[in-house]
Amino acid sequence: MRQSKLFIKTVREDPKDEESLNAKLLIRAGYVYKVMAGVYAFLPLGLKVIKNIEDIIRKKMIAMGGNEVLLSALQNRSDWEVSGRWDSFDVLFKFASFYSKNDYVLGPTHEEEIVPIMRQQIASYRNLPAYFFQFQNKFRDEKRAKSGLLRGREFIMKDFYSFHASEKDLDSYYDSMKDAYSEIFNELGIGNTTYLTLASGGTFSKYSHEFQTLTPAGEDTIHICDSCKAAVNEEVFEDESLRQEFAKEGPVCPSCGKKDLRKEKAIEVGNIFKIKDKFSSPFGLKFKDENGEEHNVMMGCYGIGINRLLGAIVEVSHDDKGIIWPESVAPFKFHLIESRKGEGEKIYNSLVADGFKVLYDDRDIGLGEKFADADLVGIPWRLVVSARTEGKIEVKKRNEEKTELFNYENIRKF
Ligand code: ATP
Ligand code: MG
């Protein structure tokens, strides 16, 4: 893509109404536009990163047997009354139609919708297990929305729901989802700083597992075991029954029992729960077993916050000049910069013909300004062509200082 056609301007100064580092950088580099506190629009570069993140997750969810759906954002009050969450879900956006006066919910999560759908689909053990997922805008009336993309009032979530005939089947599926999630965070380039963390189950279940990414911007505190890479959320020690079960003598590793844990700030990027029959029971989602006996369907649910991931990646991967994208999610692989108009044209066309994603800075501005923008925007490989490079291409990785000259043939192998 030609940068002259991107139309999005970068900004040198931090936006005044923004406290969080991830939002400051994403706004300055032209990835997002702040609509209001906790609500961001994705501009072309931002959308490319979002799609890359979603594609990595989608592939794994399909490999886990998931069928992709897209449920409605607008939901019924009556379904939220059946689940009992009309009054108890603390950040629920509720509103009444101006015309009909009917009450609605803007979905903060989708158990209240997927379970009635599955009631039409599941009748017998032969229909189980079943797996559905989606990428959807969720709405939550968060009291505090000051962490930029980490905590929004509208945000994209990947939510996945599994339906099982037995708790045993749910248990083994839940364990395989842990592995799938770890693989996802590795692929997203934050595997080193993301920990499988024992956490409370909230209103769903006794406990759950979170995937927590270490960052000072995080709102949670976790205790990490460096030998097994497992962690416990501090909230576990504060919950009396969980403390009795998992942490009687203070923080211990949930995996090996080691006591010497490291305390860190972190942000929850994913959360998996065994919700069992918490929803199937009130909604009457049942199946008949081999003997014709009826049972409640057992459920698991598995979330990942897409906006939050975007923000978390920026929090863990940046320097004082701007963002440093992991290659797997970067909007482009190469940022091609020319010093004089037209110098990069041939290389740009060749790279595009060879199937690479390239942002070509063909703008009529100084080289210094182009370099500053390249650092801010954070594309992994910077390629420079100028009279100085004498037919070769100067290559610099965003996260390294050194520059090297290469022929086009070498660059094709990157
Ligand atoms: P938190 O404790 O941070 O409020 P949660 O536990 O209520 O989050 P879940 O219901 O588990 O969130 O949602 C699944 C995932 O959606 C979370 O792991 C997180 O990545 C993301 N998420 C939740 N709330 C928000 C939000 N307000 N903004 C952005 N992402 C969010
Ligand atoms: Mg959670």
Side-chain angles (χ1 to χ4, degrees):
M1 164 161 224
R2 286 167 193 277
Q3 211 161 337
S4 59
K5 300 283 183 294
L6 189 59
F7 299 114
I8 301 301
K9 292 190 206 82
T10 53
V11 187
R12 293 281 169 267
E13 301 78 38
D14 281 339
K16 287 194 184 58
D17 59 343
E18 194 61 71
E19 290 175 22
S20 88
L21 179 135
N22 67 82
K24 281 181 191 165
L25 281 175
L26 287 164
I27 291 169
R28 282 180 44 205
Y31 285 79
V32 304
Y33 168 81
K34 183 175 186 174
V35 180
M36 57 185 131
V39 182
Y40 296 88
F42 295 114
L43 303 177
L45 290 177
L47 184 61
K48 282 183 195 296
V49 181
I50 290 289
K51 292 294 169 200
N52 291 340
I53 294 174
E54 286 185 355
D55 284 347
I56 288 170
I57 298 172
R58 178 178 288 108
K59 243 188 284 147
K60 283 278 184 272
M61 296 299 101
I62 291 172
M64 287 295 293
N67 294 295
E68 189 165 0
V69 292
L70 182 57
L71 306 184
S72 71
L74 206 53
Q75 300 179 354
N76 266 323
R77 172 179 177 152
S78 57
D79 288 331
W80 283 79
E81 284 178 338
V82 172
S83 70
R85 294 206 286 185
W86 172 259
D87 289 315
S88 67
F89 202 99
D90 61 343
V91 290
L92 199 58
F93 265 113
K94 308 168 177 177
F95 65 97
S97 157
F98 185 76
Y99 298 103
S100 69
K101 311 288 185 252
N102 288 337
D103 288 328
Y104 296 94
V105 165
L106 276 175
T109 175
H110 277 73
E111 287 81 7
E112 276 80 355
E113 188 164 336
I114 192 82
V115 173
I117 293 173
M118 295 315 288
R119 207 171 40 201
Q120 289 192 345
Q121 309 301 324
I122 296 172
S124 133
Y125 69 95
R126 290 194 192 86
N127 307 128
L128 294 168
Y131 312 115
F132 291 85
F133 75 99
Q134 62 169 346
F135 291 92
Q136 238 247 1
N137 282 33
K138 308 291 190 200
F139 301 84
R140 294 187 182 185
D141 201 358
E142 301 281 0
K143 300 287 167 293
R144 195 179 166 278
K146 293 192 173 148
S147 305
L149 282 285
L150 299 183
R151 182 171 298 285
R153 297 202 165 101
E154 175 177 351
F155 59 95
I156 307 170
M157 191 200 288
K158 184 282 300 176
D159 43 332
F160 188 116
Y161 304 92
S162 70
F163 302 85
H164 307 265
S166 68
E167 227 177 301
K168 194 166 151 243
D169 194 48
L170 166 61
D171 288 348
S172 75
Y173 192 74
Y174 183 88
D175 284 340
S176 60
M177 192 59 97
K178 278 186 201 161
D179 298 337
Y181 266 45
S182 298
E183 286 166 20
I184 286 170
F185 297 118
N186 284 338
E187 254 187 76
L188 292 171
I190 52 170
N192 287 342
T193 47
T194 302
Y195 289 81
L196 174 65
T197 306
L198 179 72
S200 93
T203 54
F204 279 152
S205 51
K206 188 160 182 188
Y207 68 89
S208 71
H209 286 91
E210 295 171 340
F211 287 78
Q212 292 273 2
T213 302
L214 300 191
T215 162
E219 296 174 7
D220 289 354
T221 302
I222 64 169
H223 295 254
I224 299 166
C225 171
D226 281 316
S227 35
C228 26
K229 259 211 98 181
V232 195
N233 193 314
E234 186 145 284
E235 69 192 9
V236 170
F237 314 126
E238 288 152 11
D239 177 312
E240 192 47 36
S241 77
L242 285 175
R243 204 166 59 80
Q244 286 305 323
E245 187 164 349
F246 296 108
K248 245 189 188 139
E249 282 135 50
V252 290
C253 172
S255 169
C256 72
K258 201 177 119 187
K259 282 190 176 153
D260 182 20
L261 304 187
R262 180 159 59 92
K263 193 169 156 176
E264 296 279 2
K265 292 302 263 181
I267 184 78
E268 173 200 321
V269 288
N271 201 180
I272 61 176
F273 299 87
K274 295 179 192 175
I275 51 179
K276 300 183 186 169
D277 64 352
K278 183 172 162 71
F279 292 88
S280 49
S281 169
F283 282 99
L285 174 61
K286 293 177 190 302
F287 72 98
K288 283 205 171 84
D289 68 15
E290 288 94 328
N291 306 316
E293 264 176 53
E294 269 196 338
H295 305 275
N296 286 339
V297 171
M298 290 288 139
M299 287 180 64
C301 76
Y302 318 84
I304 296 182
I306 309 300
N307 298 30
R308 185 174 286 185
L309 261 177
L310 179 77
I313 293 171
V314 172
E315 292 284 349
V316 297
S317 191
H318 69 272
D319 61 17
D320 55 1
K321 299 190 190 111
I323 302 167
I324 304 172
W325 292 113
E327 205 160 314
S328 59
V329 301
F332 296 95
K333 179 176 177 125
F334 294 124
H335 201 159
L336 174 64
I337 294 177
E338 62 185 13
S339 75
R340 255 185 305 145
K341 195 91 193 129
E343 268 175 333
E345 198 75 31
K346 212 171 123 233
I347 290 160
Y348 173 63
N349 290 328
S350 305
L351 284 170
V352 171
D354 282 333
F356 290 108
K357 292 184 187 166
V358 193
L359 182 60
Y360 171 28
D361 197 345
D362 59 340
R363 295 174 301 169
D364 232 342
I365 56 170
L367 208 49
E369 205 176 329
K370 289 185 179 183
F371 285 173
D373 274 352
D375 283 338
L376 181 58
V377 168
I379 293 166
W381 299 87
R382 190 185 78 184
L383 310 180
V384 182
V385 281
S386 70
R388 240 169 25 93
T389 58
E390 295 169 344
K392 292 194 172 184
I393 302 160
E394 184 195 89
V395 179
K396 181 185 168 302
K397 284 189 84 171
R398 174 63 183 86
N399 57 354
E400 289 175 10
E401 281 310 312
K402 72 169 194 290
T403 57
E404 274 184 279
L405 289 175
F406 284 102
N407 292 321
Y408 183 77
E409 278 313 302
N410 300 111
I411 288 177
R412 276 183 63 183
K413 295 186 197 116
F414 283 3

